[in-house]
Amino acid sequence: MEVYHYQKKRFLIEQTITSLFALVIIFLTLYFIVNKMMPILMSLALFVAFYTTINNFILKVNSEVIEISDHTISFEAYKKKDIYEISKLQSFKLKEFPSAKKIYVRLIDFENKKKKYWVHAGSFDEGEKLFKKLLDIEYEKHPQSLKARARDQSPINYHRKKENKKGT
């Protein structure tokens, strides 16, 4: 089992403190809206702050610890751990942002529940390895997808396949 940890200081600043600040913004914008001070702008700010707070503290879409084994993957944040059996996942789709080292994970479990997670791989210990491992899981779950076929046709993967065949 491989365990990846979000760097503690970065998680505190990028996730926890940012969401606590958003919580403060919620109360400030409510005060401004009630007092009819820039209600349209404050409504927009309220929406963004509410969305940020809900995503981080209730839905826990920004994981602090990710564990990957041969059969399971888990996402953990703020003492809540979601564990999924990879073979039972109906869907495991990724939207990568390689320059920012971020991945948006969308999955559907065996109960047909949709979940989403943001993985800030650049802020994780061994983030590059985590990034590649998530891509491998997507490839394993959806080998016939257009993205998987493009990966198969990539010159980089072509040379790796030839090396693997020679080594075997």
Side-chain angles (χ1 to χ4, degrees):
M1 177 175 291
E2 298 175 39
V3 181
Y4 304 93
H5 294 274
Y6 206 116
Q7 296 166 10
K8 289 201 181 295
K9 283 184 181 178
R10 293 187 82 164
F11 187 78
L12 177 69
I13 294 167
E14 293 174 1
Q15 304 305 327
T16 307
I17 291 176
T18 302
S19 294
L20 288 173
F21 180 72
L23 195 59
V24 170
I25 296 298
I26 288 172
F27 292 112
L28 285 173
T29 56
L30 286 173
Y31 171 80
F32 284 121
I33 290 169
V34 167
N35 290 313
K36 298 179 181 166
M37 300 169 70
M38 300 181 291
I40 295 172
L41 179 63
M42 290 301 123
S43 296
L44 180 63
L46 176 66
F47 175 76
V48 171
F50 188 71
Y51 180 79
T52 300
T53 304
I54 294 295
N55 265 344
N56 206 38
F57 291 133
I58 296 177
L59 299 175
K60 297 176 178 38
V61 299
N62 296 297
S63 298
E64 186 174 6
V65 178
I66 298 174
E67 294 179 3
I68 302 173
S69 74
D70 291 340
H71 307 290
T72 62
I73 183 167
S74 70
F75 300 90
E76 181 180 353
Y78 303 110
K79 308 285 185 201
K80 181 187 175 222
K81 189 174 190 177
D82 296 328
I83 303 171
Y84 304 98
E85 283 189 53
I86 296 170
S87 62
K88 290 186 177 180
L89 289 175
Q90 291 181 22
S91 176
F92 188 88
K93 300 281 184 160
L94 304 177
K95 175 69 178 160
E96 309 94 55
F97 301 91
S99 61
K101 294 287 185 245
K102 292 181 183 179
I103 299 179
Y104 182 64
V105 179
R106 294 169 294 160
L107 58 87
I108 300 174
D109 66 12
F110 65 95
E111 296 174 340
N112 233 9
K113 291 182 183 171
K114 295 178 182 179
K115 294 290 230 164
K116 64 179 181 174
Y117 299 96
W118 273 103
V119 177
H120 302 261
S123 297
F124 275 80
D125 297 330
E126 299 184 36
E128 191 70 35
K129 188 176 176 184
L130 171 60
F131 198 90
K132 289 177 183 172
K133 189 70 174 172
L134 290 171
L135 289 172
D136 290 343
I137 293 170
E138 180 188 38
Y139 180 78
E140 177 186 315
K141 286 302 294 178
H142 305 286
Q144 298 303 317
S145 70
L146 184 60
K147 190 193 272 186
R149 287 188 281 165
R151 180 178 172 175
D152 284 342
Q153 298 302 315
S154 168
I156 296 168
N157 287 325
Y158 175 75
H159 295 295
R160 286 186 188 153
K161 286 179 191 176
K162 284 177 88 175
E163 289 172 5
N164 288 340
K165 287 180 184 177
K166 288 179 185 176
T168 334

